[in-house]
Amino acid sequence: MSLKPVTLAESAARRLADLSKAEGKPLMLRVAVDGGGCSGFQYRLDLVEAAEPDDHRIEHNGQTALVDDVSMPFLAGSEIQFVDELLGAQFKIVNPNAVANCGCGVSFSI
């Protein structure tokens, strides 16, 4: 069975490029799904320098996000964005599989 691809939005690629430039080294965004949070699952986002062997690479304009095999089915069809809103600036996952999200956008249920 083929899963819908995860995509990296232009806004997220631009932010990753800015962070890499500020750190003076290439950085990638690791996106994972863990059990927990107020809605059942929660996103874990980390900036990393290297990929793991089971990572799926999502690339846009020379920037990379990574998703492990276990998290991929939960994120299938999602878009990774970067938003800068009144409440703050953050990477945001727009996940079509989530039937409910918590108010902060970090946890979700399927």
Side-chain angles (χ1 to χ4, degrees):
M1 181 175 93
S2 180
L3 297 174
K4 291 182 181 179
V6 176
T7 58
L8 186 63
E10 176 64 31
S11 59
R14 198 169 38 248
R15 181 62 177 159
L16 280 171
D18 292 345
L19 290 168
S20 294
K21 184 177 178 183
E23 289 293 317
K25 58 189 171 192
L27 296 172
M28 295 177 277
L29 179 68
R30 176 179 305 290
V31 180
V33 174
D34 294 329
C38 55
S39 296
F41 296 99
Q42 62 187 0
Y43 300 113
R44 182 171 29 95
L45 307 172
D46 296 301
L47 292 173
V48 298
E49 295 179 48
E52 297 295 328
D54 70 336
D55 283 337
H56 296 263
R57 296 174 74 89
I58 297 98
E59 298 180 347
H60 183 80
N61 283 351
Q63 302 305 310
T64 303
L66 306 167
V67 178
D68 62 81
D69 271 343
V70 174
S71 299
M72 196 60 158
F74 296 103
L75 295 169
S78 294
E79 182 179 57
I80 304 165
Q81 302 176 350
F82 183 79
V83 295
D84 191 353
E85 300 171 331
L86 186 59
L87 295 175
Q90 64 183 345
F91 286 101
K92 177 181 178 181
I93 311 300
V94 178
N95 188 341
N97 305 304
V99 294
N101 293 300
C102 70
C104 66
V106 173
S107 68
F108 66 101
S109 62
I110 293 183

